[in-house]
Amino acid sequence: FQKDDVLFKEGDLPDSFFIVMSGKVITLKWFDGRLTPIFTAMKEDIVGEDCVFSDKDQYFYSAVAIEDCEVIRIQKSDAFKYLNSQSGWIRKILQNISDKIEHTSEVIAEHRILDSKLLSNTEFTDEQEASYKSKL
């Protein structure tokens, strides 16, 4: 992906998740007409897996490349093929963790918590928010 490319949008059907091999990806959540950054993914971080393993059928945040990125895309069908060959409790644990992450993302967006550790010291300006709004 190139800088400013959208990996996926909040509300879309989650068909895959991504392992970031290089570059940075920011995750953004809508709340009350504003975008709030949730997390910045860097090398070897994973983006979208919580949405794929959730019992919701949609991404609950968006992901945008903030630098040129190399990623590995993991299809939901491939992940579930593997999970379905394992014990059922593994999928249940992943679903439970995903639901907790979704709730945490909602709280972060609602209260507009801009945590430098979660964002890996990535700035988020009003200009950047306006730019991302036009893409999402």
Side-chain angles (χ1 to χ4, degrees), residues 6-133:
V6 175
L7 281 72
F8 56 83
K9 293 181 182 181
E10 184 175 345
D12 286 352
L13 187 65
D15 62 350
S16 53
F17 59 93
F18 303 85
I19 303 171
V20 179
M21 301 309 293
S22 67
K24 289 184 183 179
V25 174
I26 193 165
T27 61
L28 304 158
K29 182 152 185 64
W30 285 100
F31 183 82
D32 204 20
R34 299 285 313 264
L35 278 175
T36 300
I38 303 298
F39 173 70
T40 300
M42 298 187 305
K43 184 176 175 135
E44 298 181 3
D45 286 334
I46 304 172
V47 180
E49 82 289 354
D50 41 4
C51 304
V52 166
F53 295 126
S54 172
D55 61 356
K56 311 286 189 302
D57 282 331
Q58 64 181 16
Y59 288 109
F60 46 84
Y61 55 80
S62 300
V64 179
I66 56 175
E67 295 178 359
D68 289 351
C69 294
E70 182 179 333
V71 302
I72 297 172
R73 172 179 268 163
I74 309 293
Q75 296 291 330
K76 179 177 183 174
S77 58
D78 292 337
F80 274 72
K81 189 184 307 179
Y82 174 77
L83 283 177
N84 290 336
S85 72
Q86 304 300 309
S87 180
W89 59 267
I90 293 172
R91 186 168 169 188
K92 198 66 174 159
I93 288 171
L94 290 172
Q95 186 177 52
N96 183 276
I97 291 168
S98 295
D99 291 343
K100 290 175 183 174
I101 292 170
E102 180 183 14
H103 175 72
T104 301
S105 298
E106 290 171 357
V107 170
I108 289 170
E110 179 180 355
H111 297 284
R112 199 150 171 83
I113 300 166
L114 303 177
D115 184 90
S116 63
K117 187 173 181 181
L118 286 175
L119 297 176
S120 300
N121 296 315
T122 302
E123 288 189 34
F124 190 73
T125 65
D126 290 339
E127 292 80 21
Q128 288 168 313
E129 180 181 8
S131 173
Y132 294 137
K133 278 183 173 181

